[in-house]
Amino acid sequence: MTDTRRRVKVYTLNEDRQWDDRGTGHVSSGYVERLKGMSLLVRAESDGSLLLESKINPNTAYQKQQDTLIVWSEAENYDLALSFQEKAGCDEIWEKICQVQGKDPSLDITQDLVDESEEERFDDMSSPGLELPPCELSRLEEIAEVVASSLPSPLRREKLSLALENESYIKKLLEIFHVCEDLENTEGLHHLYEIIKGIFLLNRTALFEVMFSEDCIIDIIGCLEYDPSLSTPRKHREFLTKTAKFKEVIPISDPELKQKIHQTYRVQYIQDVVLPTPSVFEENMLSTLHSFIFFNKVEIVGMLQEDEKFLTELFAHLTDEATDDDKRQELVNFLKEFCAFSQTLQPQNRDAFFKTLSNMGILPALEVILGMDDAHVRSAATDIFSYLVEYNPSMVREFVMQEAQQNDDDILLINLIIEHMICDNDPELGGAVQLTGLLRTLVDPENMLATTNKTEKTEFLGFFYKHCMHVLTAPLLANTTEEKPSKDDFQTAQLLALILELLTFCVEHHTYHIKNYIINKDILRRVLVLMSSAHSFLALCALRFMRKIVGLKDEFYNRYIVKSFLFEPVVKAFLNNGSRYNLLNSAIIEIFEYVRVEDIKSLTAHVIENYWKALEDVEYVQTFKGLKLRYDQQRERQDNPKLDSMRSILRNHRYRRDARSIEDEEEMWFNTDEDDLEDGEPVVLPSEKIKNNDDLMDPISKFMERKKLKDNEEKEVLLKTNLTGRQSPSFKLSFSGATTKTNLTSQSTASSLPGSPGSPGSPGSPGSPGSVSKSTPQTAAITTKGGLVGLVDYPDDDEEEDDDEEEKEETVQLSKKARLGS
C-alpha cells in the first residue's frame, strides 16, 4: 500500500460543477462479494478508512484524461474522478477497467457518454466508423458540415472524436489555417472557426491535449479570431504574444512548471475571452475544459508549494528593504495570484498550503508591505490578508498577540489594517468595507478556539481592547466632541457608520470587555451625538447601537443610561423629525415599545418623569400611553403598600420570593452569564452608588431652573418645526377598526423636559440632569421581565432596597390585572 503508483486523490463533482476533494489514499481493484463484481477500492492513507468502493460496471463510460486522471459518472448527477500521483499507476488501473469491460486500453474512453437511441444503434451496425473528408482547402465547407451535423448525436460525436484523434486531423487543419491567412481567404477562415469551435464542443480530453500543446495552442486561438458574426477579426494572438508578458518575479527552474503556467493562462483566456458564451444547451459540453483548467491549477500550486527554494527567495525579496518598488509590486501580485489559485484546493490541501506560507513568514511580510506608501501594493497585500483571515483566523490572532509583546501598538498588523480602513480614499469606501468584514471575522467569538487550559476568546479580546480598540474608535471620538458632528460629509458619515456596525457587533457578541469600554469611555453618549447628523443612515446606526445595548437588559448599561440621561438625544431626534413617517420615526418608537413590552422599570420611570410632557400628545401609537400606564401602576403600588401586601398573598406560590430565593436567582444569573465570569468581575462605577432623595432632587431643581430660563427661546425654535403647543400635524393616521382619527401632536422641547419629577417623597425616582451641557440629553435603563426580577443588585446597593423593589414589581402585575378586570 506504500506504492506511490497507487496513490490517488478522490474527487466528486458538486452542483456548481466544481470538483470537491474527498481525500487521498491508495487505489486497488478486486472482486467485492457485496457488489457481485470487480470494483475499484480506495483506502485513506491517514487511517485506512474506505474512501471509495465503486463497481466497474460493463456499461459505464470511463475516460482517461491528461495521463493521470480517470473520470466517470455513477449516476445522472454524480461524477467521480481519480487523480493519480504517477502516470504508471493510472495506466495500470485503466488496463484493469478496460479488461473488465473488454475494451482496448489504447483508447481514452470505454463507452459512449450518453446512451444512443435504437435508430443510432442500427446505424452503428451498418456504418462502424465515420470517415472525414480529406483535409484540403477546397473541402473545408464539407468538413464544417460534418462536424456540425455530428454534435447533436452522442454516438456521432464519439465517432468524430476518434476520427480526429487517429488521423492527426487537427494539425492538418492548422496547416490549412496558415494557407488561408496567407491567401486572405476569409471564407475558408470562417469555416475553420466553425470547425474548431465544434471540436471544443466534443468535450474530449485527448483532443484538448493536442490543441493545447505548445505547438498548436496559438494557432487554435488564431482560428477562433475569425468569428463569422464579427465584421473584423479579433486580435487575441497579438494580445497574448505582445501585450501579455510572462513575468518571472523569481526565476522558475522547472521547465515543466513553466510550460504548465503558460498553458493554463492561455486555456483560461480561451475559456473566458475567446470562446463565445455557451448557450444553455452547450454549457455542459465544455465541462471537460473546466476540469482541464481546474486540475492544471491544482498541479501548479502543488509544484510551487514543494519548491522551498523558490518560496524562500520570494519572501526574502518581499521583506528586503533594498527591493525596489516595481519589483516588490510584482512579487506581491504574484503572491496574490498564488493565493487565488489555492482556492481550487480542497480543505485538507488548503490547510497544508497556508501552513507552508505561515512557516515561510507570510504575516510578518504582510506587515512590512502594509506599512509602505504604495497604494497598489497595499491593496494586493490586503487581498492576501483576506485569504488568510477567511481561511484560518486563529493563525492571524496568534501572530498579532505574539507580536504585541515585542512591538508598539502603532505598528501592530491589526492596527495597520484598522488604519487602512480609516484612511481609505475610495469615495465609496470599498476597501474599508472589505477590511471591516475581516475585522469582524477576527473578533467573532464563534470562530475562536477553546482549549482545556485557556480560551482564545479571553486572550484575544483582552489584547484587542487593550491595544486596538482605541485606534478603531478614534475617528468616532474625534468627531463627537460637540453637540453635533464636527465633520458631517458623506464619506466621514460612511466611515463612522462602518465603525458603529462593528461596535454594535461587539456589543452583541462580547460581554465584559465592551461593557467596561462603553461605560468607562462614555461611548454611548458620544455615539448619540450622531443622532443629529444630516445623514439619516448614520443617525439610524447610532440608534441601532443604543437599541442593541437596551436589548441586553443589563443592569450596568441601564444605570449608565439613566445616570447620563442618554434618552434625551433620542427624544430630541423624535421631536425634530416632526410628523414625517419614516424609518427614523419607526425605529425610535420601537425602542420605546421594547422598554414598555419588556417592562424595564427604571427606563420606564426615567422616560415618563423626564420626557412625558413632550410625548403625551403622541396618539397615533399607544406606546407612550402604555409607558405612562406602566409608570402609574408602579406609583400606585408604591403609594398603597397595604394593597400591595394583600395582592402578594393572592399570587401563586411559585412567584413568592424570600431572601433565600433571591440568593438562588442571583446565583442562577451569574451561572447563565459565563462570559462575564470568564472575563472578570464587572466594574461598578462610583456614580452607581446609592443616592438618597436629596441627592436626586438637587439636580432636578437645577435642571428645572435652567429649562425655565430657556423656555421662551426653545418655544420659538419648535414653532418653526410645527411641534409647539398642541397643534395638529400635517397628516393624521387612523387605527384599523376605528372610525375616529387620532392626531399626532408633539410638545415643545421646553415642555418635553419634566415640570416636576413626581412627588418629592417617591423613592428611587431618577432625577433630571443637574448641570447638563448644551449637548443632547441622554437616558438609561434597568432590566426586568414580567413580574420576576431578572437582574441582581450588586454590593454597592442596599439589600433592603432590593426587597422593596421586588415587592413593588409584584404589585405592578397585580395592579394591572385589577385594572383590566374593573
Side-chain angles (χ1 to χ4, degrees):
M1 296 298 287
T2 58
D3 187 357
T4 56
R5 289 184 306 168
R6 297 291 187 92
R7 192 165 183 263
V8 296
K9 287 185 181 295
V10 180
Y11 291 91
T12 59
L13 197 65
N14 62 28
E15 293 178 354
D16 298 324
R17 308 298 295 173
Q18 298 293 324
W19 289 101
D20 292 335
D21 188 346
R22 297 303 183 187
T24 303
H26 292 83
V27 64
S28 61
S29 62
Y31 186 83
V32 176
E33 182 65 32
R34 183 175 60 82
L35 299 176
K36 305 294 183 186
M38 291 294 291
S39 304
L40 297 176
L41 305 172
V42 180
R43 293 195 176 275
E45 64 179 0
S46 56
D47 56 7
S49 60
L50 198 62
L51 294 177
L52 176 68
E53 186 181 61
S54 173
K55 181 182 177 181
I56 302 174
N57 192 307
N59 298 319
T60 297
Y62 291 86
Q63 294 182 69
K64 187 168 72 166
Q65 301 178 6
Q66 301 182 45
D67 292 332
T68 56
L69 279 173
I70 297 178
V71 182
W72 73 98
S73 298
E74 291 215 339
E76 185 176 347
N77 293 313
Y78 189 67
D79 291 1
L80 288 163
L82 293 180
S83 178
F84 288 78
Q85 182 171 331
E86 295 184 13
K87 178 180 182 298
C90 182
D91 292 341
E92 187 178 340
I93 294 300
W94 182 250
E95 288 179 8
K96 294 280 187 184
I97 294 171
C98 291
Q99 184 181 349
V100 172
Q101 292 196 338
K103 302 293 181 180
D104 182 0
S106 64
L107 300 179
D108 287 340
I109 189 166
T110 62
Q111 303 284 334
D112 295 327
L113 292 177
V114 181
D115 290 340
E116 63 270 25
S117 66
E118 290 298 324
E119 183 179 352
E120 288 171 333
R121 288 176 188 270
F122 180 78
D123 290 342
D124 186 31
M125 294 170 62
S126 59
S127 56
L130 184 147
E131 289 189 13
L132 284 166
C135 193
E136 298 172 358
L137 178 58
S138 59
R139 308 292 290 272
L140 285 178
E141 183 176 3
E142 188 179 344
I143 297 170
E145 289 177 358
V146 170
V147 172
S149 63
S150 299
L151 290 175
S153 164
L155 178 62
R156 287 179 63 82
R157 282 208 313 271
E158 179 66 19
K159 291 179 179 179
L160 176 60
S161 300
L162 293 174
L164 290 168
E165 290 174 39
N166 295 337
E167 300 178 21
S168 300
Y169 211 82
I170 293 175
K171 291 187 177 181
K172 294 178 183 177
L173 286 170
L174 297 179
E175 291 174 5
I176 297 177
F177 167 69
H178 287 293
V179 174
C180 287
E181 276 207 315
D182 292 340
L183 297 175
E184 296 184 357
N185 185 341
T186 305
E187 185 181 358
L189 292 170
H190 287 169
H191 288 317
L192 281 166
Y193 171 89
E194 298 293 350
I195 293 168
I196 297 299
K197 179 188 171 186
I199 293 175
F200 267 95
L201 296 177
L202 292 175
N203 212 25
R204 290 277 294 199
T205 304
L207 297 176
F208 286 158
E209 288 176 352
V210 174
M211 291 192 294
F212 299 153
S213 65
E214 190 74 21
D215 299 334
C216 298
I217 189 166
I218 294 297
D219 289 337
I220 291 291
I221 293 171
C223 292
L224 294 172
E225 290 180 353
Y226 294 94
D227 185 346
S229 63
L230 301 175
S231 57
T232 57
R234 299 296 189 188
K235 296 183 178 180
H236 299 303
R237 285 173 294 174
E238 182 179 333
F239 172 81
L240 289 173
T241 56
K242 295 180 181 179
T243 308
K245 298 294 183 183
F246 177 64
K247 295 180 180 179
E248 288 185 84
V249 290
I250 302 293
I252 298 174
S253 55
D254 187 350
E256 183 184 354
L257 172 59
K258 193 182 295 187
Q259 189 274 331
K260 187 71 69 175
I261 292 172
H262 281 300
Q263 184 188 62
T264 305
Y265 176 78
R266 289 165 177 171
V267 176
Q268 185 86 59
Y269 183 82
I270 290 172
Q271 182 192 45
D272 296 342
V273 181
V274 180
L275 285 177
T277 304
S279 67
V280 175
F281 303 103
E282 295 173 340
E283 191 170 1
N284 291 331
M285 298 174 79
L286 292 173
S287 60
T288 305
L289 182 62
H290 300 319
S291 300
F292 189 97
I293 296 169
F294 174 86
F295 287 112
N296 262 19
K297 288 182 177 180
V298 170
E299 197 171 344
I300 290 170
V301 172
M303 294 169 78
L304 285 171
Q305 190 177 336
E306 292 167 6
D307 192 341
E308 290 188 9
K309 181 183 176 183
F310 179 87
L311 290 178
T312 304
E313 196 173 343
L314 170 68
F315 284 103
H317 283 294
L318 266 175
T319 54
D320 188 355
E321 293 182 2
T323 305
D324 63 72
D325 292 343
D326 292 340
K327 178 72 171 178
R328 183 174 279 108
Q329 183 171 348
E330 291 175 0
L331 291 166
V332 174
N333 287 335
F334 169 81
L335 189 56
K336 174 185 171 182
E337 192 168 0
F338 190 32
C339 291
F341 268 41
S342 74
Q343 300 308 295
T344 60
L345 302 175
Q346 294 305 309
Q348 309 95 303
N349 310 91
R350 210 178 309 164
D351 188 47
F353 171 80
F354 283 117
K355 201 167 187 179
T356 300
L357 293 186
S358 177
N359 294 337
M360 289 288 175
I362 189 171
L363 286 168
L366 285 178
E367 195 168 38
V368 172
I369 298 166
L370 286 167
M372 295 179 178
D373 296 331
D374 193 322
H376 296 292
V377 170
R378 290 203 312 266
S379 176
T382 301
D383 290 335
I384 296 168
F385 183 71
S386 70
Y387 286 123
L388 296 170
V389 171
E390 288 167 9
Y391 187 72
N392 193 346
S394 293
M395 178 180 74
V396 179
R397 293 190 198 103
E398 184 180 357
F399 170 77
V400 295
M401 285 191 289
Q402 287 176 353
E403 69 163 349
Q405 301 170 5
Q406 304 168 358
N407 299 333
D408 296 333
D409 287 0
D410 293 341
I411 59 174
L412 296 181
L413 175 60
I414 195 165
N415 282 346
L416 288 174
I417 294 296
I418 294 173
E419 287 171 14
H420 289 321
M421 180 192 85
I422 293 170
C423 301
D424 186 10
N425 294 323
D426 179 6
E428 297 298 326
L429 294 186
V433 171
Q434 178 190 11
L435 293 172
T436 304
L438 297 179
L439 289 171
R440 176 179 294 203
T441 302
L442 285 175
V443 301
D444 187 354
E446 295 297 321
N447 60 47
M448 294 184 184
L449 305 175
T451 61
T452 52
N453 298 326
K454 49 191 175 181
T455 63
E456 185 182 18
K457 176 180 176 182
T458 303
E459 289 187 355
F460 182 75
L461 292 184
F463 156 81
F464 183 78
Y465 281 88
K466 181 179 180 181
H467 297 281
C468 309
M469 183 58 93
H470 68 281
V471 182
L472 179 65
T473 56
L476 171 68
L477 297 176
N479 207 40
T480 54
T481 55
E482 304 297 333
E483 293 181 11
K484 293 185 177 182
S486 53
K487 286 182 66 178
D488 203 23
D489 58 278
F490 181 71
Q491 192 163 359
T492 301
Q494 276 187 306
L495 175 62
L496 294 179
L498 288 175
I499 294 172
L500 279 179
E501 289 295 337
L502 196 54
L503 291 176
T504 304
F505 178 84
C506 293
V507 167
E508 183 176 6
H509 291 89
H510 305 164
T511 50
Y512 164 77
H513 291 96
I514 188 67
K515 185 192 305 180
N516 271 359
Y517 191 82
I518 288 174
I519 294 175
N520 292 335
K521 301 291 185 183
D522 200 15
I523 295 295
L524 180 55
R525 183 178 67 81
R526 303 293 284 272
V527 167
L528 290 174
V529 170
L530 302 176
M531 291 289 293
S532 59
S533 169
H535 303 281
S536 58
F537 70 87
L538 182 57
L540 286 166
C541 281
L543 186 66
R544 186 158 55 247
F545 180 72
M546 183 177 185
R547 173 65 176 82
K548 188 65 69 176
I549 290 175
V550 171
L552 293 176
K553 298 190 288 187
D554 184 284
E555 182 177 10
F556 286 96
Y557 279 132
N558 293 339
R559 289 177 178 178
Y560 163 57
I561 293 172
V562 169
K563 172 183 173 292
S564 302
F565 290 82
L566 297 182
F567 263 106
E568 190 170 330
V570 179
V571 173
K572 275 193 172 181
F574 181 68
L575 297 176
N576 291 335
N577 190 59
S579 59
R580 292 188 291 274
Y581 179 59
N582 53 19
L583 189 56
L584 183 64
N585 173 273
S586 299
I588 293 174
I589 289 174
E590 193 278 335
I591 198 171
F592 286 108
E593 181 69 12
Y594 180 82
V595 171
R596 184 191 71 80
V597 170
E598 295 297 322
D599 195 16
I600 305 177
K601 292 181 173 56
S602 60
L603 294 187
T604 301
H606 178 74
V607 170
I608 296 302
E609 291 174 0
N610 291 282
Y611 311 113
W612 170 242
K613 288 188 177 180
L615 302 171
E616 64 179 335
D617 290 325
V618 178
E619 296 182 343
Y620 61 92
V621 290
Q622 295 302 299
T623 296
F624 302 107
K625 303 290 185 188
L627 274 175
K628 184 67 165 60
L629 177 61
R630 286 213 185 264
Y631 174 74
D632 290 342
Q633 289 171 343
Q634 293 179 41
R635 295 295 298 273
E636 181 184 354
R637 185 174 60 181
Q638 292 171 5
D639 295 340
N640 296 278
K642 292 183 180 180
L643 180 62
D644 179 52
S645 60
M646 181 183 71
R647 287 173 175 167
S648 299
I649 298 173
L650 300 176
R651 292 171 62 84
N652 189 301
H653 178 69
R654 62 186 174 142
Y655 291 108
R656 295 179 59 192
R657 297 166 59 94
D658 53 24
R660 183 171 181 177
S661 70
I662 295 170
E663 293 175 0
D664 291 343
E665 290 188 19
E666 288 179 352
E667 185 67 22
M668 288 173 63
W669 188 85
F670 277 110
N671 288 341
T672 56
D673 200 352
E674 295 176 0
D675 291 335
D676 276 0
L677 291 176
E678 180 183 285
D679 294 335
E681 288 298 324
V683 173
V684 181
L685 297 178
S687 59
E688 292 172 346
K689 293 181 180 179
I690 303 173
K691 301 178 177 59
N692 58 32
N693 290 343
D694 292 338
D695 293 335
L696 292 170
M697 290 306 298
D698 184 55
I700 294 174
S701 302
K702 292 178 181 178
F703 181 72
M704 289 309 303
E705 289 174 7
R706 182 173 65 84
K707 297 311 292 181
K708 286 177 182 178
L709 292 174
K710 289 190 174 184
D711 186 65
N712 293 332
E713 177 186 345
E714 292 182 345
K715 280 184 178 179
E716 291 176 3
V717 172
L718 288 171
L719 274 169
K720 296 177 182 179
T721 57
N722 296 324
L723 292 172
T724 52
R726 300 182 181 274
Q727 296 175 353
S728 297
S730 58
F731 73 96
K732 297 180 180 180
L733 295 177
S734 55
F735 293 102
S736 58
T739 55
T740 59
K741 293 187 177 179
T742 59
N743 292 336
L744 165 62
T745 56
S746 298
Q747 199 75 355
S748 69
T749 304
S751 62
S752 73
L753 296 159
S756 63
S759 59
S762 55
S765 58
S768 301
S771 55
V772 180
S773 67
K774 294 182 180 180
S775 61
T776 50
Q778 312 173 11
T779 40
I782 299 177
T783 66
T784 56
K785 236 182 184 178
L788 293 175
V789 176
L791 293 173
V792 178
D793 284 329
Y794 288 85
D796 60 338
D797 292 319
D798 190 76
E799 292 181 1
E800 292 181 10
E801 289 187 6
D802 277 348
D803 295 336
D804 291 343
E805 279 300 308
E806 289 158 7
E807 291 173 3
K808 290 170 188 174
E809 289 162 7
E810 292 168 359
T811 307
V812 167
Q813 303 301 321
L814 291 177
S815 171
K816 189 162 71 173
K817 291 179 181 177
R819 286 172 178 269
L820 291 171
S822 60

